[in-house]
Amino acid sequence: MADISAKLVKELRDKTGAGMMDCKKALKENEGDLEKSADWLRQKGIASAAKKSGRTAAEGLVDSYIHTGGRVGVLIEVNCETDFVARRDEFKELVRNIAMQVAACPNVEYIQSTDIPAEIVEREKTVEMGRDDLANKPEAMREQIVQGRIDKRLKELTLLDQAFIRDQSITVEELVKQSISQLGENIKVRRFQRFVLGEGIEKEEVDFAAEVAAQTGGHV
């Protein structure tokens, strides 16, 4: 179908309170039908979540997840508005699922794209602009291609943009929004840290043949 107009996106946004990108996605999924798009946002829990997104979330949980075998662990903080919701099983399950997601995504370093430092974005742009396959393309086309590649790369680095490991049809951001709708409070992933066994330790390379030879006076 044709591109969704900015006017239609604004109309849906005013109607539901959802974000611009969510509205655009809803309209594309529903071929520009305003009512169906509004229902789609409600089903995803996005419409009601948007209305709560500005509220302060200072309660919540710090939780951990240790992957089978004990080689990867995650420590994470997820915030909600009240201690009552923090104690609910649904919230605890959400926190655990997000921690598992972090463990499963070794490339993820940030929560959302706005957390990525500007110098990293510029570095990615420099790398992409220098690729050989763009050398003979017009400047405007190069810029467009590079921006698309950068957007894809940045999404690989951000937690909320990942496809949820237990349901690939939604992102982690959509999972959080569904929980906001279900629990009736704003929810924010505040921070996380991944621990990988042995990471950062320089391991000594051992030449076993040479070691044996040294111990036997040069005779193996």
Side-chain angles (χ1 to χ4, degrees):
M1 63 171 295
D3 289 340
I4 302 298
S5 70
K7 181 180 179 182
L8 194 58
V9 172
K10 183 180 184 304
E11 191 173 348
L12 182 59
R13 191 176 184 184
D14 291 342
K15 181 182 181 68
T16 63
M20 181 180 68
M21 296 307 297
D22 287 325
C23 289
K24 191 171 184 179
K25 183 177 180 180
L27 287 162
K28 284 186 175 181
E29 291 285 337
N30 294 279
E31 300 182 341
D33 187 296
L34 197 63
E35 294 302 322
K36 287 182 179 179
S37 298
D39 290 342
W40 186 89
L41 288 169
R42 288 179 59 197
Q43 289 169 350
K44 295 288 185 180
I46 295 173
S48 57
K51 297 175 183 178
K52 300 177 178 69
S53 62
R55 299 188 336 207
T56 302
E59 295 293 335
L61 288 176
V62 173
D63 200 3
S64 62
Y65 169 75
I66 309 298
H67 190 60
T68 304
R71 303 188 67 85
V72 179
V74 171
L75 193 63
I76 192 166
E77 178 181 348
V78 181
N79 298 134
C80 57
E81 296 178 46
T82 66
D83 186 53
F84 171 75
V85 163
R87 294 195 304 268
R88 287 183 58 172
D89 289 341
E90 297 93 335
F91 184 78
K92 293 177 181 178
E93 182 181 2
L94 171 68
V95 176
R96 177 53 57 94
N97 281 336
I98 298 174
M100 290 176 62
Q101 183 84 36
V102 174
C105 299
N107 292 328
V108 165
E109 300 178 32
Y110 306 95
I111 294 171
Q112 55 194 354
S113 59
T114 53
D115 297 333
I116 301 176
E119 57 266 27
I120 291 180
V121 179
E122 284 302 312
R123 186 177 67 201
E124 291 294 329
K125 184 174 182 179
T126 300
V127 170
E128 293 298 337
M129 288 294 286
R131 292 196 183 277
D132 293 340
D133 63 339
L134 299 179
N136 298 321
K137 296 188 182 297
E139 182 66 23
M141 184 180 293
R142 287 177 62 196
E143 290 283 350
Q144 187 176 11
I145 294 173
V146 165
Q147 190 59 53
R149 290 178 177 177
I150 290 174
D151 290 344
K152 181 180 178 181
R153 173 58 181 151
L154 297 185
K155 284 185 177 181
E156 292 173 354
L157 298 175
T158 55
L159 175 62
L160 295 182
D161 285 313
Q162 301 304 304
F164 179 38
I165 53 174
R166 290 189 164 178
D167 182 356
Q168 297 285 308
S169 68
I170 63 172
T171 64
V172 174
E173 182 175 25
E174 289 170 335
L175 173 70
V176 172
K177 287 177 178 178
Q178 288 177 2
S179 295
I180 293 173
S181 179
Q182 178 188 17
L183 296 172
E185 289 191 3
N186 190 21
I187 296 171
K188 296 283 187 182
V189 181
R190 186 179 179 214
R191 52 186 170 175
F192 65 83
Q193 182 66 52
R194 183 191 301 103
F195 298 87
V196 179
L197 184 66
E199 187 175 45
I201 300 175
E202 291 188 13
K203 298 180 181 178
E204 183 180 355
E205 296 294 332
V206 178
D207 186 336
F208 289 104
E211 186 176 302
V212 172
Q215 292 174 357
T216 58
H219 302 289
V220 180

